[in-house]
Amino acid sequence: MNFMKINVRLYWPTMLVFLLVSISSCTQKDNTTESQPNIIIFFTDDQGYADLGTYGAEGFETPNLDQLAAEGIRFTNFYVPATVCTPSRAGLLTGRYPKRSNLHEAVLFPFSEGGLSPDEYTMAEMLKEGGYTTSCIGKWHLGHKEAFMPNNQGFDEFYGVPYSNDMDNYYYKDIDFQSPPLPFYRNTELIESGPDQQYLTKKYTEEAVKQIKNRGQKPFFIYLAHNMPHTPLFASPAFKGKSKHGLYGDVIMELDWSAGEIIKTLKEEGIYENTIFIFTSDNGPAKGSAKPLRGKKAQTWEGGQRVPAIITWPSKIPKGKVSDEFVNTLDLFPTLAKISSSKIPSELQLDGIDISEFLLDPDAKTLAERPFYFYARNGELEAIRLGEWKLHLKKSIGWNEKSEGEFQAALYNLNLDIGEKDNVATHHPEIVTKLSELATAFDAKL
């Protein structure tokens, strides 16, 4: 008996140390998991700069997204690297200018044979290797052949359509090609052909909510790419006639509802505080508003590529900030890599920068001035921005030679002239030369 008591006394300190180490290890593991935030990118299609309440929308309300802006950072100088769908999505998911992926010209069609090369390293692959589950919900538009589809690009789950909703059963008379009814997939299985588009926003939202509720132990990345408000416009019966702006306003209000349902689910599940929610659009509007910007979708004027954007992370990003710092979707790849502690291959050449420190402390941090290049729908470099200056070198869309004459190099000070109305190229020839040389050199490298 005494022998046993002596052994207990001898071994108790050792046992105590073992227990403390075990508890510490468990705690450390839990903290590591908690330090990796869930990530949602809420990507709309053709939503203009002024198509959100907090950006001055007229005729409809967006209370959920306005509240989201109040809980994080709203950007006034946020850009996408293309004027249309396919190249913009390629840039977002690779962190690289679309020309690097050879997807910088026009968009992919149901008759296209190509897509985003499986050799490209996507955001989904990066986050998956960093310990995330990955899901693509909605519109893909980076190649409908199996090799280019989401499940071969780093996404564990895919629920949606392979290209734009206007390509549903469309006849391309110039090449005598009849596209099929819009395919709707769950992963690689075709589950519906020609879905009733008035329910697309609702279906995507319900799928996102379901995935959040049925998540596993890993942090998740959901890329929710809505089809709306790309034309043709569709809203569910619950939203038809809801706005004073007709069907377009109804569509935007349903998208706002979608964001609200997802945010509500995050809160109910107790994970809202540790979820990064990124809202933005793939390019400027076709039907909506880009006021006070000049131009629209498919144009390299500001209205074609400056878009609304909100980023929140309640536990980390301060509330109620409005930033005029220059940011673009190419920055999301390196930023999310840093925040999620995911690794980027050393040989991968990215065009975006890590803005994580700025997001965490926007009042104390500023971003370095850097050039941004505007590639037109025809694939050609048309403009460059550096700081307050934007130089247009040529113009393929958004300029009428018959009424306006041959396009000449045009320089605008965006700090003073956000609407690009006052061409000051003749007053600043040295800036025109500098930006022209920068643009030519960069394009030659690509």
Side-chain angles (χ1 to χ4, degrees), residues 422-443:
D422 184 18
N423 179 6
V424 295
T426 56
H427 301 295
H428 302 280
E430 73 289 355
I431 295 175
V432 171
T433 299
K434 175 184 175 180
L435 295 184
S436 296
E437 291 175 350
L438 269 176
T440 301
F442 179 80
D443 193 49

Side-chain angles (χ1 to χ4, degrees), residues 78-267:
F78 193 95
Y79 290 77
V80 290
T83 66
V84 288
C85 305
T86 294
S88 181
R89 290 156 204 272
L92 168 70
L93 291 178
T94 65
R96 293 149 54 86
Y97 279 100
K99 191 170 183 178
R100 294 193 191 276
S101 307
N102 198 30
L103 289 173
H104 57 301
E105 186 175 349
V107 300
L108 295 171
F109 295 93
F111 54 79
S112 299
E113 294 296 323
L116 182 66
S117 170
D119 292 334
E120 287 287 339
Y121 189 71
T122 70
M123 182 186 294
E125 290 174 297
M126 178 262 291
L127 290 171
K128 186 174 182 177
E129 291 174 5
Y132 281 70
T133 61
T134 56
S135 173
C136 174
I137 300 172
K139 173 182 169 180
W140 177 239
H141 214 175
L142 289 172
H144 66 279
K145 301 292 185 180
E146 184 180 354
F148 310 121
M149 289 284 274
N151 294 112
N152 287 320
Q153 303 280 9
F155 288 99
D156 299 316
E157 300 289 335
F158 173 51
Y159 179 81
V161 298
Y163 37 71
S164 291
N165 63 322
D166 63 334
M167 299 174 181
D168 179 15
N169 204 31
Y170 188 82
Y171 177 63
Y172 296 86
K173 61 181 180 180
D174 292 345
I175 59 171
D176 189 25
F177 180 86
Q178 175 63 57
S179 65
L182 188 65
F184 197 108
Y185 289 92
R186 182 173 291 281
N187 296 319
T188 58
E189 180 186 357
L190 180 65
I191 58 175
E192 194 174 356
S193 292
D196 187 341
Q197 293 197 33
Q198 65 180 329
Y199 295 107
L200 282 182
T201 298
K202 188 172 185 288
K203 290 171 77 166
Y204 296 156
T205 306
E206 290 172 345
E207 177 67 17
V209 167
K210 184 176 74 173
Q211 288 190 16
I212 293 169
K213 288 183 175 180
N214 296 328
R215 70 192 183 282
Q217 295 300 310
K218 293 181 177 181
F220 61 79
F221 166 50
I222 295 178
Y223 169 51
L224 173 53
H226 277 289
N227 281 94
M228 298 297 134
H230 194 289
T231 56
L233 298 169
F234 290 93
S236 68
F239 287 88
K240 284 182 180 176
K242 195 168 184 178
S243 80
K244 299 175 183 177
H245 192 63
L247 182 56
Y248 189 85
D250 301 343
V251 166
I252 299 295
M253 291 185 74
E254 185 162 22
L255 289 168
D256 181 74
W257 163 84
S258 173
E261 288 297 293
I262 293 167
I263 292 166
K264 181 175 72 174
T265 303
L266 294 171
K267 290 179 178 179

Side-chain angles (χ1 to χ4, degrees), residues 406-425:
E406 184 179 351
F407 185 81
Q408 303 292 325
L411 180 70
Y412 301 95
N413 184 318
L414 294 179
N415 286 357
L416 304 175
D417 181 22
I418 193 173
E420 296 176 291
K421 297 176 181 178
D422 184 18
N423 179 6
V424 295

